[in-house]
Amino acid sequence: MSRSERLLTLLDLLRQSRRPVTARQLAQQLEVSVRSIYRDIATLQVQGAQIEGEAGLGYQMASGFWLPPLNFTAEELEALVLGMRWVTRQADPALAQSASTCLGKVLSELPADLADRVIHNTLLVGPISPLADDADVAQLRSAIQAEFKVEFAYQDQVGQGSQRIVWPMALGYFQTALMLIAWCETRQDFRHFRVDRLQGLTVNQQARYPTPRRVLMSQWFEQQQIPKPLPI
């Protein structure tokens, strides 16, 4: 484990503990000397970490202190890079550019050894076929955030067409399809639509749907009998 990784792990250990932790306990967990822990604590304090305590009594994170957002372990960075690479290949151009910009911000703030691991990350995303028209996806993302109603012509899997007005709630990215989850006014129930089968998509910016999206999503999860995803 590099020193940068050890410092991040040390911060995590202090954040997770509700009581002061002695340098000896920390040294045992990190498999280093007690003297190394003293040096690491001093380094973190100089860098702004609000660590309270002293040698012999133990250390803990100051109440109310939140860790900076870029305290990633090497494996967390691998997961982040892999996800960002997938987004840059699969999402619409605006979201793909945001993913690229986000990764650049992370890279610019990392310690040199971790930045090197990001640059030379070996987890790759292969060629992917587009799931839907980029313009439609961008419009749907905007409508979901603003809670606007949308209207479109839809052709189901057997070729039958219909006109729909729906309350868009979420987009589900699957390996071969992008699905819109919505409350359908025509069916008076939740419905799932393949975005590549939408035609003539129109966002009604004058009509917000009456039920908050968070409420709708809770109802949808309950109806589908699947657990709500953990926040990420």
Side-chain angles (χ1 to χ4, degrees):
M1 179 186 295
S2 68
R3 187 162 191 252
S4 294
E5 291 177 295
R6 190 173 77 238
L7 290 174
L8 297 181
T9 303
L10 179 56
L11 279 172
D12 280 338
L13 291 174
L14 291 171
R15 179 186 60 180
Q16 293 165 12
S17 178
R18 297 182 179 180
R19 297 180 179 179
V21 186
T22 66
R24 184 172 299 279
Q25 290 173 318
L26 293 169
Q28 291 174 345
Q29 289 181 275
L30 295 175
E31 298 181 348
V32 295
S33 68
V34 172
R35 181 171 295 181
S36 293
I37 295 297
Y38 290 149
R39 286 198 297 263
D40 289 347
I41 292 289
T43 297
L44 291 172
Q45 288 173 329
V46 168
Q47 293 177 353
Q50 298 176 24
I51 301 173
E52 300 176 340
E54 58 184 87
L57 298 178
Y59 299 94
Q60 66 181 141
M61 201 71 71
S63 177
F65 177 71
W66 292 93
L67 294 179
L70 296 181
N71 288 334
F72 296 120
T73 66
E75 286 193 349
E76 288 170 344
L77 283 169
E78 285 192 333
L80 178 64
V81 172
L82 181 61
M84 292 299 179
R85 285 177 173 170
W86 187 92
V87 173
T88 57
R89 283 185 172 270
Q90 191 62 291
D92 59 276
L95 194 58
Q97 180 58 46
S98 294
S100 180
T101 301
C102 178
L103 191 56
K105 289 179 179 179
V106 170
L107 185 61
S108 68
E109 297 295 330
L110 289 175
D113 56 335
L114 291 182
D116 183 72
R117 292 191 64 162
V118 172
I119 294 171
H120 298 95
N121 183 278
T122 55
L123 301 180
L124 306 177
V125 177
I128 300 174
S129 300
L131 298 180
D133 183 87
D134 287 335
D136 286 348
V137 179
Q139 286 191 81
L140 286 171
R141 286 202 300 109
S142 177
I144 289 169
Q145 292 302 320
E147 300 186 358
F148 287 138
K149 295 182 181 182
V150 300
E151 183 174 0
F152 50 81
Y154 188 69
Q155 189 174 59
D156 63 21
Q157 60 184 355
V158 297
Q160 183 174 356
S162 60
Q163 194 71 22
R164 303 295 183 98
I165 298 176
V166 306
W167 308 350
M169 298 153 43
L171 290 170
Y173 286 80
F174 294 86
Q175 187 169 356
T176 58
L178 176 60
M179 304 296 295
L180 170 65
I181 302 169
W183 172 268
C184 179
E185 290 189 355
T186 304
R187 301 292 187 244
Q188 286 294 294
D189 200 356
F190 296 111
R191 287 292 185 269
H192 308 137
F193 305 93
R194 281 186 57 139
V195 178
D196 58 347
R197 293 177 181 165
L198 307 185
Q199 297 178 350
L201 176 67
T202 302
V203 178
N204 187 343
Q205 298 186 3
Q206 305 303 316
R208 282 191 168 89
Y209 46 81
T211 306
R213 176 166 47 86
R214 291 182 179 180
V215 174
L216 291 172
M217 286 302 301
S218 294
Q219 294 172 351
W220 179 80
F221 279 118
E222 184 176 351
Q223 184 189 85
Q224 300 297 311
Q225 296 184 338
I226 56 177
K228 296 180 182 180
L230 295 175
I232 59 173

